Amino acid sequence: MSTYLSEDSIHTAISHLCRFGDTDIFPHLFELVYLSEKADEVVDQLKTYDVSNFYPSHSVEALAPKSRYGFRIANQLVMLDALLLMAGTVEIAPDLENFKAPDERFGPFSYRFENKGDGSVLKNDRTYRDWIEFQREIAKAGDIEYVVFTDIADFYQRIYFHRIENVLRSASANKGVAALLEKIIKKIRAKQSYGIPVGGTASRFIAEAVLSDFDHALEAEEYFFTRFVDDIRIYIRKGESAYRSLAFAAEVLLSEGLTLNAQKTRVVTLNQYVEYLDDEGLDAFDETQRTALEALSNSLYFEEADEPDADELASLQALNLVDLLSDLLAAESWDFGKIRSILRALRITQNAECVQFIGANLELLLPFIKDVVLLLDNLSKSGALPAEFDITPSVVGHLRVGAGRSVPVIRAWLLELFIRRITPISAKTLGEIERVSELDGRQIILINATISNIAYFRKNKTRFDQFSMFEQYALIIGATCLPKDEYDTWVDAVRGGMLQPLDKSFCDWAKSKQGKFGLVITDLANLAQTSDGQS
């Protein structure tokens, strides 16, 4: 049966991806610049495309840091797959929203759908910061004695595919779009029968819907609870048993193939809970400083981050952020949220005092390399980065051994330092960096374009079919450093063998960028500013 996506869903998906990025883990796809500039043309092509005939390509699956010594698998999709996944999700998001417990009740709090028409698809007042305030109000209830803290172990990674199918088909009458989403997710997780891609908004909506039965089960038993994604609070009133509530929650989740995280499960008194909410880990600061840092922490969880106002910015500037960062990194147990908030505060305040600290502690900061790159990039753009700044030997060293060698997402962000011209690299040094995966293979292509390595593209343009689909678009845009006649002739030759929707449109757009690769990267950075704070 033929299935078509609506113009509104495609437009919303394009606007969302361009405004908030395709992922909050990997460097963003440069193809977002193409989508931004050719949005109407893309919509015109895709609104008449029968998505029942769509066959997803593979995604890049890569190890990413999750905690100091913990990791997770993350996925980055090629442009078309990412766009159709988002557009399809937007198409049935109202159905998924209706499938969940009503948002005026106390249970599921996060990622409630509302299409605002500007690319933003999340309801206001449902941020992580709002959730903390919501809990403060709950804590004032006089009948609460204890609070259960728990979360779901490896939630995104452990969702069974058959559960996703059941939810999509039960929630929406649009079976064609549900089938499209199932097809994309199944292709992404082809090696497993479980898991959903990590890092994008579409997955968040689907994952929230998967927990609907859990929410309804707790509500039916009249448990007083609230939840932000997989972070759960159960309120124990007089006469109720914390142990029984945990057992019930565990039993419901086990029927879904999920388990509670025993290491993060604890029961606290109401007074202890109030103390936790009062400081939320920011007790060392005064109220203005705490508000500013809470705004930054909020940005790690929600697309519409509250930027500090003038007073909050001045308060942040008065803090010794470098010392705070040093103290947090010296702690035996790392608070990832706090460390990322401090790095973002350094970026917003354009604090150049951190440059020497970063250079001396790059290895320690590798789990936060995305935040470090964005910080250094902001300093570079503002002119605050010292002209002599050069950490290339250290970066290359980490790419050859250690975390930069073994963790692909860290490796991709280290290579991003060269794409953004934050630290210099020569063609000779770049040639000595081994291509470990297609993720860094794509980055290496873009670096060669950054340094206008014409010899590299002349060598590889005849090997186009040997590159993965994830790398081919990068090769096309990267080769814009070639002379115009040579470039146009080559693009016309390769486009004949490209059969996916948007391929030919992309090639035409790339030809208009001949000699302008640097502007594409600048435009991408400008597009990505809104989503740089995501987790």
Side-chain angles (χ1 to χ4, degrees), residues 284-295:
F285 313 115
D286 65 33
E287 186 172 351
T288 305
Q289 293 166 341
R290 183 186 300 123
T291 300
L293 285 168
E294 280 181 347

Side-chain angles (χ1 to χ4, degrees), residues 390-461:
D390 183 353
I391 56 171
T392 299
S394 177
V395 172
V396 172
H398 287 303
L399 288 167
R400 288 175 174 165
V401 296
R405 168 78 184 181
S406 54
V407 183
V409 171
I410 290 178
R411 186 176 181 86
W413 280 104
L414 286 171
L415 291 167
E416 189 76 9
L417 288 164
F418 303 124
I419 295 172
R420 299 188 185 214
R421 296 183 179 273
I422 295 169
T423 190
I425 191 168
S426 66
K428 181 179 183 300
T429 302
L430 180 58
E432 295 169 356
I433 297 175
E434 184 181 357
R435 177 193 181 281
V436 175
S437 69
E438 61 183 322
L439 179 61
D440 56 86
R442 179 181 168 98
Q443 293 291 78
I444 288 171
I445 291 170
L446 298 178
I447 298 169
N448 275 294
T450 297
I451 62 176
S452 298
N453 188 357
I454 291 176
Y456 172 87
F457 291 101
R458 282 186 173 149
K459 174 184 175 182
N460 287 288
K461 68 179 186 177

Side-chain angles (χ1 to χ4, degrees), residues 19 45 86 269 296 341 346 374 394 478 496 501:
R19 184 176 174 189
Q45 289 190 55
M86 187 64 204
T269 66
L296 298 178
S341 293
L346 287 165
L374 298 177
S394 177

Side-chain angles (χ1 to χ4, degrees), residues 254-300:
L254 280 171
S255 68
E256 305 277 2
L258 302 169
T259 59
L260 292 176
N261 189 331
Q263 292 182 330
K264 292 186 178 180
T265 298
R266 66 188 191 278
V267 180
V268 302
T269 66
L270 179 61
N271 287 338
Q272 290 171 325
Y273 181 56
V274 171
E275 290 176 4
Y276 163 81
L277 293 174
D278 281 345
D279 59 49
E280 239 303 70
L282 301 174
D283 53 302
F285 313 115
D286 65 33
E287 186 172 351
T288 305
Q289 293 166 341
R290 183 186 300 123
T291 300
L293 285 168
E294 280 181 347
L296 298 178
S297 296
N298 177 58
S299 71
L300 306 180

Side-chain angles (χ1 to χ4, degrees), residues 25-26 59-65 71-76 157 189 198 406-410 412 437 439-440:
I25 296 174
F26 300 85
S59 72
V60 169
E61 187 171 271
L63 194 68
F71 305 92
R72 61 181 171 183
I73 293 295
N75 300 86
Q76 185 168 34
Q157 306 293 333
R189 302 294 294 171
V198 176
S406 54
V407 183
V409 171
I410 290 178
S437 69
L439 179 61
D440 56 86

Side-chain angles (χ1 to χ4, degrees), residues 345-392:
L346 287 165
R347 174 158 59 97
I348 288 175
T349 58
Q350 298 185 358
N351 189 328
E353 294 177 6
C354 64
V355 172
Q356 185 175 356
F357 179 85
I358 290 172
N361 295 275
L362 185 60
E363 181 172 7
L364 198 61
L365 288 165
L366 287 178
F368 310 96
I369 190 61
K370 169 188 171 181
D371 303 278
V372 170
V373 171
L374 298 177
L375 164 58
L376 293 175
D377 191 40
N378 200 51
L379 291 175
S380 177
K381 289 175 181 174
S382 67
L385 193 67
E388 66 277 8
F389 181 75
D390 183 353
I391 56 171
T392 299

